[in-house]
Amino acid sequence: MYSSSSSLKIPTSPQDEDKGEGKVYGNVFAELESVDLPLGTTLRSVYDDQPNAHKRFMEKLDARIRNHDREIEKMCNFHHQGFVDAITELLKVRADAEKLMGQVSDTNRRLQDAGREVTAQTEEVIRCRIQQRNMATTVEKLQLCIPVLEMYKAVDVIVDLLFITLFSQAQQHRTFNSAVQKQVTLSCAKPLYGLNGRTPLHHNGLSTEAADDEEMDEEVLTVQDLVDFSPVYRCLHIYTVLGDRETFENYYRKQRKKQARLVLQPQSNMHETVEGYRKYFNQIVGFFVVEDHILHATQGLVTRAFTDELWNMALSKIIAVLRTHSSYCNDPDLVLELKNLIVIFADTLQGYGFPVNRLFDLLFEVRDQYNETLLKKWALVFRDIFEQDNYSPIPVENEEEYKAVISRFPFHDAEIEKQQFPKKLPMSQSVPQIYSQVKEFIYASLKFSESLHRSSTEIDDMLRKSTNLLLTRTLSSCLQNLIKKPHIGLTELVQIIINTTHLEHACKYLEDFITNITNVSPETVHTTRLYGLSTFKDARHAAEGEIYTKLNQKIDEFIQLADYEWGMAESDGRASGYLMDLINFLRSTFQVFTHLPGKVAQTACMSACKHLATSLMQMLLDTELKQISMGAIL
């Protein structure tokens, strides 16, 4: 630190000043320009010695500054031209740098383009090598499979042909089975393949004599007419002659199990069209009809135990596949076609001795899926009917229009029948439409029960259960949603109550309709009753509650518009305007309520009056109301 003992001494006399001033201030300036000494101590030494010393110090300091400025100016003048030359060179370099940058960018772009082509060619080479390797592997595997493919080359033909010759004859399978039985009998009497070489073979594996006998009878296409089994017969004959029949039997059964798994594998989009299901069933029928023929024609190549094992494995897979794919279907027509295919498929294989009870059990699950799709479809139908209804009594101008209505809906009213035309029926147009659509639903549900080999009682039970779901779930939900819609007013709610009353009375006619279809008496112990009564009662109660709510809300709207002068001196002898409007509204509303059942109308009127009285009392007892004059009360 710079101590005070080394403080600057300013000379007092002019001589001292002339002699030592330059040296002294020189030291001061040296200390000021030094970054190592404390600045405060140096400046204090200047101001502390003499009163006027700081003025001279400032003059010397200004002279020092001017001297440094001259030196700086000289230095700048000395280096100015070099700086200008450097800047000029730098500007020239910038132009060259920009040109070089453009060249670099162009070179980079060309390099990228060239590299892209090389990369594409490299990827193409990789793909080609992969394809070559796959092709080589495929050729190698196919060469190993050629004997098997040659042996079974005729089996694939049956996939496309059996639907025409077998499914179309499923309803006439007795004739078909008799023809098959005849061929089996002939096969047992004469060898199908000439072990001794003396029995000539026909093109379908039968001896010439058997083929001649067949041609004499009525021509019926059978499996051997469609498929050439001679490769199988030849292989079996060769292995038998060589004494190695068991090897061929094991090989054949092993390969057929593998083929069965391929046949049972469905396409991923099978559920989208009926053709997908039909192709799936065709290939399965073809496979097992071939196995049934081999079972009866080759005397031991396959056994009944082997075919039963294959069928049980296939049946489990078929049921799992159908259960999965049918769950994706939302079209009731497609589900119905699937049901028909399953029935024909089951009847066809049952004709060959394969048990199909599990398939008919599966149809009950498919039936539930069918009913669900029907319910979704009819939910949209009901919704459209409610949206298009005008919620006004049906006008009939003449007898013809009256008969047209009652032909669609069972309506009978002696008083209305006595009235002259034109007249109005109490329900709105949605009532006969809903009734007709329920009947259409029953018809659609009945279609699934056809050909299921079920009794009339079971079919009746199915129809009633599905109809109950339609009434208690679908129609009930549509009614509840309708009642809660904002645009449904008091008049519409009154009409809905009238409509549900008539629909409730029509439920007994729906039960008679089902009875006429199934011929099952409703007095049967296990007959399911329709739950339509409770459905329409619940909807009616919901509509009644909504009437009470909306009526009270309307009263509140009138009261909220009130602008009453509570301090008037005298009454003008009449009610305020908002009360008159409210009274007129209630009068017209109560007039509409005359179409309601007496108890409902009475409850609505009492509820409205009670709510109005409570609201007026709350208005009088409002805490913000400080004073009421006698004129206001009167």
Side-chain angles (χ1 to χ4, degrees):
M1 295 295 291
Y2 186 79
S3 63
S4 59
S5 59
S6 60
S7 299
L8 179 63
K9 300 298 183 180
I10 304 298
T12 57
S13 65
Q15 293 78 9
D16 294 337
E17 181 179 354
D18 293 335
K19 295 178 181 179
E21 187 178 61
K23 181 178 180 180
V24 171
Y25 284 111
N27 294 334
V28 172
F29 294 144
E31 292 178 0
L32 290 176
E33 292 172 353
S34 175
V35 297
D36 296 331
L37 295 177
L39 181 61
T41 305
T42 303
L43 293 178
R44 187 165 52 251
S45 64
V46 175
Y47 287 89
D48 290 345
D49 290 341
Q50 295 181 3
N52 297 324
H54 67 280
K55 295 182 179 179
R56 293 193 298 274
F57 172 73
M58 292 301 295
E59 294 174 355
K60 294 294 183 179
L61 181 62
D62 291 338
R64 185 80 170 185
I65 292 173
R66 287 193 297 272
N67 185 38
H68 281 297
D69 288 341
R70 285 193 297 272
E71 292 179 356
I72 292 172
E73 184 176 357
K74 290 179 181 180
M75 183 176 294
C76 290
N77 291 334
F78 178 78
H79 294 285
H80 174 71
Q81 187 61 40
F83 177 76
V84 171
D85 294 340
I87 294 299
T88 303
E89 292 295 328
L90 182 61
L91 293 175
K92 293 180 180 180
V93 171
R94 183 176 67 177
D96 295 338
E98 291 178 352
K99 182 178 180 180
L100 180 61
M101 180 63 69
Q103 294 176 354
V104 171
S105 299
D106 184 62
T107 303
N108 178 65
R109 183 174 60 258
R110 292 198 304 271
L111 181 62
Q112 292 294 334
D113 294 339
R116 189 178 300 107
E117 295 179 0
V118 173
T119 301
Q121 293 177 359
T122 303
E123 294 178 352
E124 183 65 24
V125 171
I126 294 175
R127 283 196 299 270
C128 290
R129 289 182 178 178
I130 293 175
Q131 291 177 354
Q132 290 178 351
R133 184 173 66 249
N134 293 340
M135 291 171 62
T137 304
T138 302
V139 170
E140 179 182 354
K141 299 302 181 182
L142 287 177
Q143 288 177 347
L144 297 176
C145 297
I146 285 177
V148 179
L149 294 175
E150 291 180 349
M151 184 177 66
Y152 298 115
K153 63 182 179 180
V155 175
D156 292 338
V157 179
I158 201 169
V159 173
D160 297 326
L161 297 178
L162 275 179
F163 180 74
I164 301 174
T165 62
L166 296 180
F167 276 22
S168 62
Q169 298 176 6
Q171 303 301 328
Q172 305 173 358
H173 56 80
R174 293 183 180 179
T175 303
F176 186 84
N177 290 340
S178 63
V180 174
Q181 185 61 36
K182 178 180 179 181
Q183 301 301 333
V184 173
T185 304
L186 292 174
S187 301
C188 296
K190 298 181 180 180
L192 290 176
Y193 48 90
L195 292 178
N196 53 13
R198 293 178 294 181
T199 303
L201 292 175
H202 197 261
H203 71 281
N204 58 5
L206 294 175
S207 64
T208 304
E209 294 84 352
D212 293 338
D213 293 339
E214 181 187 35
E215 292 174 358
M216 294 175 63
D217 295 330
E218 181 181 359
E219 183 178 359
V220 177
L221 292 177
T222 59
V223 179
Q224 53 266 41
D225 295 322
L226 302 173
V227 182
D228 181 13
F229 290 92
S230 57
V232 179
Y233 299 152
R234 286 197 295 269
C235 290
L236 180 60
H237 173 65
I238 292 172
Y239 276 87
T240 302
V241 172
L242 295 177
D244 201 11
R245 177 188 175 106
E246 183 178 355
T247 299
F248 179 72
E249 291 177 354
N250 293 334
Y251 177 77
Y252 176 86
R253 297 175 187 179
K254 181 179 179 181
Q255 294 302 319
R256 290 301 278 172
K257 283 185 178 180
K258 292 181 179 179
Q259 293 176 6
R261 294 188 179 94
L262 294 177
V263 167
L264 295 170
Q265 187 65 32
Q267 296 181 350
S268 59
N269 61 341
M270 184 179 72
H271 61 277
E272 296 179 357
T273 61
V274 69
E275 291 301 324
Y277 289 108
R278 182 177 287 111
K279 183 178 180 181
Y280 183 67
F281 288 134
N282 286 353
Q283 62 191 24
I284 296 174
V285 169
F287 181 91
F288 282 99
V289 170
V290 168
E291 286 308 295
D292 181 78
H293 178 78
I294 294 295
L295 172 66
H296 292 90
T298 58
Q299 301 176 355
L301 180 57
V302 295
T303 63
R304 173 57 68 181
F306 173 76
T307 57
D308 290 344
E309 179 185 355
L310 275 182
W311 173 244
N312 289 331
M313 180 270 293
L315 192 58
S316 299
K317 179 65 175 179
I318 293 169
I319 292 175
V321 167
L322 294 179
R323 182 180 289 122
T324 299
H325 282 263
S326 63
S327 64
Y328 296 137
C329 184
N330 295 321
D331 183 4
D333 294 334
L334 181 56
V335 179
L336 186 62
E337 291 182 354
L338 171 60
K339 166 257 175 182
N340 293 331
L341 286 178
I342 294 176
V343 171
I344 297 175
F345 173 75
D347 289 344
T348 302
L349 288 176
Q350 189 175 35
Y352 285 89
F354 294 100
V356 294
N357 292 335
R358 292 174 62 188
L359 285 175
F360 283 100
D361 293 338
L362 173 67
L363 286 175
F364 282 94
E365 299 181 23
V366 179
R367 180 201 62 188
D368 295 337
Q369 175 66 17
Y370 177 71
N371 284 336
E372 287 298 323
T373 58
L374 287 182
L375 292 175
K376 292 179 181 178
K377 178 179 178 179
W378 256 262
L380 298 177
V381 172
F382 291 151
R383 189 181 306 164
D384 292 339
I385 291 175
F386 289 140
E387 289 180 355
Q388 297 173 7
D389 193 6
N390 57 9
Y391 298 98
S392 300
I394 300 176
V396 287
E397 300 294 333
N398 49 50
E399 184 71 22
E400 183 179 356
E401 292 184 3
Y402 178 76
K403 290 182 178 179
V405 174
I406 64 175
S407 65
R408 294 184 297 139
F409 181 75
F411 174 76
H412 302 286
D413 190 300
E415 294 184 0
I416 294 180
E417 290 176 358
K418 294 177 182 179
Q419 296 176 4
Q420 298 294 325
F421 291 101
K423 53 188 175 183
K424 292 183 178 181
L425 304 183
M427 64 279 190
S428 65
Q429 62 184 2
S430 64
V431 172
Q433 293 175 352
I434 292 294
Y435 183 80
S436 299
Q437 285 300 322
V438 173
K439 292 172 65 175
E440 290 296 326
F441 176 87
I442 294 173
Y443 278 128
S445 181
L446 178 63
K447 290 181 181 179
F448 195 91
S449 302
E450 297 174 352
S451 306
L452 288 186
H453 312 302
R454 298 294 176 179
S455 64
S456 299
T457 303
E458 290 176 303
I459 295 176
D460 182 88
D461 187 65
M462 293 179 190
L463 290 180
R464 292 177 183 273
K465 287 182 177 179
S466 59
T467 306
N468 276 332
L469 285 176
L470 177 72
L471 296 176
T472 60
R473 194 172 77 184
T474 304
L475 182 55
S476 176
S477 177
C478 291
L479 283 171
Q480 296 292 339
N481 292 335
L482 173 67
I483 293 169
K484 297 295 182 181
K485 287 188 175 181
H487 69 276
I488 298 297
L490 292 173
T491 304
E492 288 81 4
L493 289 172
V494 171
Q495 188 62 56
I496 290 173
I497 291 176
I498 297 173
N499 290 348
T500 55
T501 302
H502 287 282
L503 287 172
E504 179 182 339
H505 294 160
C507 284
K508 63 179 181 179
Y509 296 100
L510 290 177
E511 293 205 357
D512 294 340
F513 177 73
I514 297 176
T515 299
N516 293 333
I517 292 177
T518 61
N519 292 323
V520 177
S521 174
E523 284 76 20
T524 305
V525 177
H526 299 290
T527 300
T528 304
R529 308 296 298 181
L530 293 185
Y531 300 144
L533 299 178
S534 60
T535 297
F536 297 122
K537 285 182 180 179
D538 293 341
R540 188 161 56 251
H541 291 160
E544 293 170 1
E546 196 68 18
I547 285 179
Y548 307 148
T549 301
K550 288 185 178 294
L551 185 57
N552 292 340
Q553 290 176 350
K554 196 66 177 179
I555 293 174
D556 292 338
E557 292 177 3
F558 279 101
I559 293 179
Q560 289 174 1
L561 297 175
D563 185 13
Y564 197 78
E565 185 181 352
W566 296 108
M568 65 172 54
E570 295 182 2
S571 174
D572 55 4
R574 57 184 177 84
S576 59
Y578 80 92
L579 282 180
M580 295 302 299
D581 293 338
L582 176 57
I583 292 172
N584 293 332
F585 165 74
L586 292 176
R587 181 182 294 109
S588 61
T589 302
F590 292 161
Q591 185 66 30
V592 175
F593 286 174
T594 58
H595 300 290
L596 291 174
K599 184 177 180 180
V600 177
Q602 181 181 3
T603 303
C605 295
M606 293 297 297
S607 174
C609 294
K610 183 177 180 181
H611 183 74
L612 176 59
T614 302
S615 300
L616 292 176
M617 181 60 69
Q618 290 177 350
M619 182 184 299
L620 294 174
L621 298 179
D622 190 355
T623 56
E624 296 182 358
L625 183 60
K626 303 302 182 182
Q627 183 177 2
I628 302 177
S629 66
M630 185 60 66
I633 297 177
L634 297 177

